[in-house]
Every structure is written in C-alpha cells, then in structure tokens.
Amino acid sequence: MILGNYTLEHGGLKFFNPQNPHFIAPLWYIVFCLPCVDKLPLSIRVLLEAAVRNCDGFYTKEGDVQSILDWQQQQNKAEVPFSPARVLLQDFTGIPAMVDLAAMRDAVAKHGLDPSLVNPKCPTDLIVDHSLQIDYSKCAIQNAPNPGGGDGPNQSHGPSRSTPSRPPSRGGSQCGGQRGSCSKAACNDPPSSSGQSPASVQQIENTPLLCPFHLKPVSETETSAKNQEMELIRNKERLQFFKWCSKAFKNVNVVPPDIGAVHQVNLEYLSRVVQISNGFIYPDSVVGTDSHTTMINGLGILGWGVGGIESEAVMLGQPLSLTLPQVVGCKLLGTINPLTTSIDIVLGITKHLRQAGIAGRFVEFFGPGVSQLSAPDRTTIANMCPEYNATVSFFPVDQVTLKHFKKTNFTQEKLEVLESYLKAVKLFRSYEDPSEDPEYSEVIEINLSSMVPYVSGPKRAQDRVAVSNMKEDFQSCLDEKVGFKGFNISKEKQETRVPFLHCGQKYELAHGSVVIAAVISCTNNCNPSVMLTAGLMAKKAVEAGLVVKPYIRTSLAPGSGMVTHYLSTSGVLPFLSQLGFEVIGYGCATCVGNTAPLKETVVDAIKQGDLVTCGVLSGNRHFEGRLCDCVRANYLASPPLVLAYAIAGTVGIDFEKEPLGVTPEGKEVYLCDIWPSREEVQQTEEDTIISSIFKDLRGRMEKGNTFWNNIECPDSVLFPWDHKSTYIRSPCFFSKLSKEVPPPQSIENAHALLFLGDKVTTDHISPAGSIARASAAAKYLQSKRLAPREFNSYGARRGNDAVMTRGTFASIKLQNRFIGKSGPKTLHIPSGQTLDVFEAAERYQRDGIPLIILAGKDYGSGNSRDWVAKGPYLLGVRAVIAESFEKLHKNQLVGMGIMPLEFLPGQNADSLELSGKEKFTITLPDTLSPRKQLTVTTSQGKSFIVTALFDTEMDVTFFQHGGLLRFVARTFLK
C-alpha cells in the first residue's frame, strides 16, 4: 500500500530507528498481525505505536512494548513511557515553562556549555489567549480602561496619571437604546472627594470621555478592538518575551493574541490527526498545560493535560512516564431527545462517570449511540474529562469524523493519507459494527434517551440540577447550612428584596437574582449547534419583545473568530447584541475571574440585603467567589439557558409553569415559545459551518496582528533579564546546581505552614485572578512603584517568581484551620502571631525551619497549574500530608521535589489527634522505592505511618534530583 511517499508493508509502516540504523523494528509486524492487537482499546494502540516508534533501548525498551501488548494483564501494574507528538501551552501556564527554559540556558552557560543546546526537542505551540480582560462591553465602557489591571481609576487612591479632565456634557441626549437608556439627570453626580467626577474615565487614543451611564452605543467591532488593544498594551512586556522565545528556541511556535482560545486553536488549526515528519508517518498526540487539552480526544487524537513541569520535560525530549491505565468502555445507546443540547449530554455523562469512580483511567466511547454525535459533540464531551477525573475520554476516528475533516483545512490528499493510514494500523473503526468492539477493563452503558436539560452549581461542576427542579433546588440551597451547596439563609430573610437605582430607573434584587450572565464558547461550549441554539433563541426572544435587565453584567466571549463568523453568517449576532451579549474579545475572561466589577449600586444592594445573587455562565469553572467576590451562587449552563436565565432575571423560575417575561403588549412568553427546534438548528449549522470558516482562521493565523508583528525583541541566545521587570524574572530553581545528585535527607522538626481541610483546589493554592491591594504580592508590586491599577493579575505575572511566591495560598476563600475563618493568613507557631502566609514562610526560612502542609481529601483538585507546586517549594514546603491527592497535582509536587504523603486508609489529622502545632520529623531511608511507607513522628511523642506517593521509579528519580527541572538540567551538564 502506498501513502504518498510512505510505504506500508505487511500492513505496517516501514520503520527504522534513526538512533540505531541497524535496528529495524520487527515489532511493527507484531503490531499489525497479532490477533491480540485487535482486542486492544484504540487509545492503547496509540501508546503502542509511540512505544514502537521511539524504542531506543534507553527511554523506551522492547519490554515496554511487550507490556503494552499484554495490556490486559499489565494494566495498573506496568510503568510505560509515552512520547507525544507535540506539546501545547497557553500563556498563563506557558510563560513559566519558557522562563524556566531561559533560566536553564543560563545555568548551562555557567558550567561552560553551549546554552543553545537547551531547546525543545518536541514541537511546541504556545497560544496567547488567557490575558484578555473585559474593559469594554455592551453600549458602554464598563470599567475605566485599565492598562495595568487591578482596580479602575474610580476606585483608586487619587487621579490617574493618564486621566485627562472630563469633557463637557453633550446636553440632554439619551444613550444606550433599549439596554441602558437613561435620562440626563442621572449624570448630575457630585464630584468625588478626590476632585474627580465619578464619570471620569481614562482616554485611549480618540475614545471620548463620557459618563459610563451615558455613553453612546459602541459598535461590537469597536468594543472588541478596544478590549484587544488594552490586552496588548497591558501585556506588552510578556509579549516581547514570547516573541524572543519564538526566535531563540527551535521547535517553538507562538500563536499571538486575538486568534482564539487554546482549545479552539488546537482543534481548528494545530490538530493533524496523522503527523508526517522526517520520513515518518504516525498518529498525532499531544500533552498540554491546560486540563482541557482532553478536548482533542473527540477527534481521535490522544491528549491530556499535564503540569508545566511535566510539559517542560516532554519539550526537552523526556517521555512521560505513566502506569499503564485501565480503559473503561463507555457504551452509548438510545436516541437523543430533540430538546437536549450537547451540554446536557456532557453533564449527564459527567454524572454517570463521576459516580462510576474512574479516576486516573482512560475512557473510550463505543456503541451505536456514538454515531449520533457530531465531531463537535464529541469534543464537547471529551473536554469535561477533568470533571470526572479520567485521564482521557477517547473517540476513535470514524466516518463522522472524516466528514468533519472535509469541512476543515485538510486537503483531499491529506484525507486520503489519513484514512488509509488509520485503517492500516487499526485506529479507524465503525461504531455500528460490534465485531470491532475492543475488550475493556470495564463497560458502562449510558442511554442517551435519558438526558434532560441540566445546570451545575451553585459551587461545583458535579452538583447537577435538572432545569425542571431548579427553583426548588435553589430554595433548598438557601435553607441548607453552609457547605458545597448551602448558604444558611434564615427563613425571615429569604424574602428580602432590595430596591436600587440604575440609569435613573428603579429595580430590585432578591435571593436568586442573576447579576452576571456570560456566554462563553470555549471548551465545553465550542459546539456550533449549542451556540446557534442560543443565537436563534435570541432572535426569537427579541422578536417576541423580551429584554434583559440592563444591570446584569452580560458578555459574549467566543472561543475563536470562527464562532463570531458563523453567528454573523447565520444572522443571529445582532439579536444577541440587542440582548446585551456583545462580543467582548477573544480569550478567557469570565471563566478565569476577569469579569469587570459590578456596578456599585448593584454591589451595595447585594451587601445591604446579604443576598445570594447568581452568575450564570456557559464555561467550565465556577467556584464560589471566582466570578466576583460578592456573587455567591454560580451556575454552569448551556448558552441558550444562560440567555433564558438572563431574560428571566432569576434562577428561581420554573420554565414549564412560569413565563420568561411579558411583552410590551402584555403577552406572557414561555421558554418553549422561543426555543428553536433541533431541525432548525441543524439546518442553520449546515448552512454556516463551512470550509470558509477554517480558511478564515488560517488567514488570521498567517497574518497575525499589527501590534504583534511590530513588537521588537532581543536577538540573543541568552535572554537579557531586566532586573526592573515585574513580569519576567529569572527564577532561582537552578541556583547552586551541582552535577552530582545529593543524597536524600530526612525532614526534621518541621512546622506546619497550613492546616487545611477537604477540597483544596489549585485556585486556593495559586489564584489566577486579581491581586488584592492588601496582599503580600501587592506590597511587593507597590515597592516597585506600581499603582494598584497596574497590578494586572496573578495569571499574567506567572513569569515573576517573586509575585507568584507571594501569591501562593493568597486566595480569600482559603480555609486554614489555624485561623478559623477564610483568608490568606496563617499562624506563625513559634511566635503565635497571625501573618500573611508568605510572611510566615519567610520567617520560617530565615530561622532554618522546614515546612509541611496538613490537608484533607482531594488536595489540589482543579486546573493544571505549575505554580501550585513551584509556589509551595519556594515557600520552603518539603512535604504535603493529606488524605488524598488529585493525581495531576500529586505529579506536580513530585516534579518540584515536594513529597506527597498520604495518610493510611481511615486515618486523618483528626483521627490521629493532630493539632498541627507539633513539630514533625519524617525519616527517609537510604533507598526510596515507589509507594514506600514512611514514619512520621511528632514533638508530642506520636508516631504514624504515611505512604509516599511515588508511583513510578521515575517519580523517585525526580524527587532525588530535587525535582524534574534539576533532573533535566543535569542531563545537559553530563
């Protein structure tokens, strides 16, 4: 069989090892001819192919290949390597990885070696997509434009340096149209104590300075452009570093801002399905520094999220080491209900798989129900993998996937090669043919007919609520004690209603009132059918005379320009805009806590009534306080349901019995009146999702943007660090790096820096949102003469270890048992003082006292984020003792040389009667091994056993080197 210039012999690709030309891989014959391969899950076949292709006798051995062939017997036992085809970085988690590589070049140069040796060996794509903030939206400037991030000038301690005087009033004209029209009287506010009018805003180029309640409508194009302009100005220093990386490092491709979210760009542009490189043809695969890299599995491309530390190792040629996983077969049966969206299917499958307890396993879908799912449906389902703790959710390529590829930028020649190759290596399948079904570790059946519309919340993605039960469920949340779902609002206060003025009109808020409504089309809502459903619904709502109350913070953040393209082409975008859902830009905003502050009148009303108000978004993260500090209940919902709740203005509504609203003529309009049929959505999708969408993306990718193209960067092998920079700083991970590995050292007389409970998330450990004015990070930035408006966010400053160390455990929602209330404080045990976590750690380090952390269950759940391990390491934490760990975070701790120690089953800090104020000694043996049990003794004479969660020999090696970064650096020194 001939595939272009590639020859398949005996059903397999002719192959030789470039490191050893005499080693012709006979295992290819085994791969294609042994009957046992036919029963391997297709995701395991991808691991098998990678092991055969990279079999060099060092990192990958023939025994590893044999272990994968014997998967049925070796699952959960054998440790095998995996070398993915490429690495995917987003800018928040990518910048520390690139900073580390730049610092590693410095370390290699200090030992007299050529620093240009330090390069990613694995192709690496870095997408700049996480720095967008909402400065402009709807018909007005929601914030004063704010180049430095942080608070706007209305909330600063004095006038901005760049704030010009306020222009004269334009007379009695009204502005804002249906959403936000108001009278001139609302503008006549007295000057503030600082001498500025509350209406003052900063000027950007020729933007007029007007009262934020009286701005004339700003076009969607201008709104998006101004948000993008602010993003580029605010992050210029970081962008200069990224551009240096793209020039200085080989195998690094940087996708500039204003292209799209990392997940969408990966799906639409970077995915190859089959890679053709250097005479090899092989399956595409990827690991990324984002937990939602798993989205790509919907296209038959094996990939999952890892920490920045692991990604750096892969970039530098180290394979990932993983225990050969169990593979759960998820058999889909039944027929999809016409009113059920892909989000409902996602949440339904998430619930089933979470209840099945499949943490750390692969999930592979099969069964006749899969054929009913489009390729976007599959990527939507695959995206939610982190929510049920599976490693991947894999959909092998079939005819439906091939039809999707025909709409994209794949040429006919590439499609022929792709199909022929996948069939030849048995990575293509028909879901209608049960004879092709592999053997799985376990099979779970899910009936698609049982799926009904759901939302998730008010605090966790796994707490699903049927839309039909939403009103009663929210009421129960008010009644329940404070917890994962409860708010403990007394009966007499549950009917509280607080009136307030907005744009000269009177409104009122109550428990359940919606104040944030964000339609986001990235990750689990990239599916065109779902966004088109929302758009068609908006059209019907506007035609019916329905409106969204103007005080609700609405926004539309497409995952890429493709979404805007098909919403515009289908004619629904103007109707979304009319309801307040205008395109605010491209990149992560509300999901990562970059929502603009609510109006002061709204915030005052919430505080006055101690109200449990709500945010509704079609994203994937909604922890309490993440969207906005004063919004306590947040729900994940499909885009059309976000619109429905925004129009209703409350989550306390029964859509089947109560109207969404009343038309100006007095007619009641129900949800069923404006919900488009599945046939209508599918027809619109067929008419708009065409190859021109992908051609448009390719054009924007190749063109970039003027700002990016004009950025100047250093032309040097070593990065010229600017010691005055507050964004980019050389970290100290390689200080005193020796060629030899130091012997293991026991931890003696350590204090507990923190005493934590269950469900400590990565947001608690290393926040990604705004930098609070009273925080340790703020004090550092102020010492660098930065004003609060210039702080930007923790995510944007991940290239500065001084900021990120001070930001570790800086979450206002951190529950430290030493303190008894939420906040970024802890007890400095020797002095008995309550200090910021950083200040306490600084004292401990000054006194030479090692630190540990005590925690409960599921420590480190949430987004992959390398600073959740780097930060504690720089604070001096040597070990974390917890009841259980999120696997990805556990790997990150090991990668930084921090021991993840697990209490024995049935034991925890309370059962062992630990106060946390003792001194702890952890004795290490001369030789460590995976899952080694260690003894912990306390200064109170107690002793207990913990398990060191080193799952593989590679974990032990990384720990002994003091972390993965030092391990990789030593490979260059030797």
Side-chain angles (χ1 to χ4, degrees), residues 195-208:
Q196 284 185 290
S197 165
S200 296
V201 295
Q202 285 179 300
Q203 185 174 18
I204 295 191
E205 295 183 353
N206 297 318
T207 304

Side-chain angles (χ1 to χ4, degrees), residues 330-348:
C330 187
K331 188 173 186 178
L332 300 183
L333 305 168
T335 303
I336 299 174
N337 186 300
L339 295 180
T340 300
T341 69
S342 63
I343 305 307
D344 303 318
I345 296 172
V346 167
L347 296 177

Side-chain angles (χ1 to χ4, degrees), residues 689-913:
I689 307 301
I690 53 178
S691 60
S692 63
I693 293 172
F694 294 89
K695 291 179 181 178
D696 176 69
L697 173 66
R698 180 176 290 275
R700 288 189 295 110
M701 286 284 295
E702 294 173 351
K703 183 180 178 181
N705 62 61
T706 303
F707 189 97
W708 171 262
N709 295 338
N710 292 336
I711 286 178
E712 296 182 358
C713 67
D715 185 14
S716 58
V717 175
L718 296 177
F719 184 71
W721 306 99
D722 181 358
H723 298 293
K724 296 180 181 179
S725 173
T726 58
Y727 276 100
I728 309 295
R729 193 175 110 135
S730 180
C732 56
F733 300 130
F734 304 102
S735 61
K736 300 179 181 179
L737 178 68
S738 62
K739 289 187 178 181
E740 301 303 322
V741 182
Q745 294 182 344
S746 298
I747 301 174
E748 297 182 356
N749 296 318
H751 273 303
L753 178 63
L754 298 161
F755 191 3
L756 307 172
D758 298 339
K759 300 290 183 180
V760 174
T761 70
T762 51
D763 271 11
H764 291 124
I765 303 171
S766 184
S770 60
I771 299 173
R773 287 189 179 187
S775 66
K779 295 174 185 175
Y780 167 81
L781 293 173
Q782 287 171 335
S783 74
K784 300 296 182 180
R785 299 186 178 182
L786 295 183
R789 67 179 178 276
E790 299 171 305
F791 285 174
N792 212 324
S793 65
Y794 283 115
R797 293 192 179 274
R798 284 182 183 170
N800 185 325
D801 62 300
V803 172
M804 298 308 297
T805 305
R806 288 165 172 80
T808 303
F809 297 110
S811 169
I812 61 172
K813 296 298 180 181
L814 183 71
Q815 294 285 345
N816 181 7
R817 294 173 62 176
F818 284 149
I819 303 302
K821 60 181 180 180
S822 60
K825 301 286 185 179
T826 194
L827 177 68
H828 180 251
I829 296 171
S831 67
Q833 290 181 286
T834 298
L835 304 172
D836 285 337
V837 174
F838 173 79
E839 293 172 348
E842 200 172 34
R843 281 200 191 182
Y844 284 124
Q845 290 198 56
R846 189 167 57 240
D847 296 335
I849 299 174
L851 297 172
I852 67 167
I853 291 172
L854 295 174
K857 299 173 183 175
D858 297 329
Y859 181 79
S861 58
N863 290 345
S864 62
R865 195 174 294 168
D866 58 349
W867 273 107
V868 294
K870 289 179 176 177
Y873 170 82
L874 293 179
L875 288 176
V877 174
R878 298 280 305 281
V880 179
I881 306 177
E883 289 184 67
S884 61
F885 292 82
E886 200 278 335
K887 184 177 181 181
L888 181 56
H889 181 54
K890 184 271 299 179
N891 292 339
Q892 292 168 333
L893 292 175
V894 173
M896 283 308 302
I898 298 175
M899 284 194 293
L901 305 176
E902 192 172 71
F903 289 109
L904 294 182
Q907 293 186 352
N908 56 35
D910 291 334
S911 68
L912 294 169
E913 298 181 346

Side-chain angles (χ1 to χ4, degrees), residues 67 125 407 439 548 616 621 705:
S67 293
D125 297 291
K407 300 176 183 178
E439 293 179 358
V548 175
V616 187
R621 282 288 185 270
N705 62 61

Side-chain angles (χ1 to χ4, degrees), residues 290-346:
D290 192 285
S291 57
H292 294 278
T293 304
T294 53
M295 196 174 193
I296 201 68
N297 290 279
L299 298 182
I301 300 171
L302 189 65
W304 62 87
V306 297
I309 303 166
E310 295 93 337
S311 69
E312 290 176 53
V314 176
M315 289 160 60
L316 292 168
Q318 310 288 321
L320 287 174
S321 181
L322 71 156
T323 302
L324 201 57
Q326 291 183 318
V327 182
V328 176
C330 187
K331 188 173 186 178
L332 300 183
L333 305 168
T335 303
I336 299 174
N337 186 300
L339 295 180
T340 300
T341 69
S342 63
I343 305 307
D344 303 318
I345 296 172
V346 167

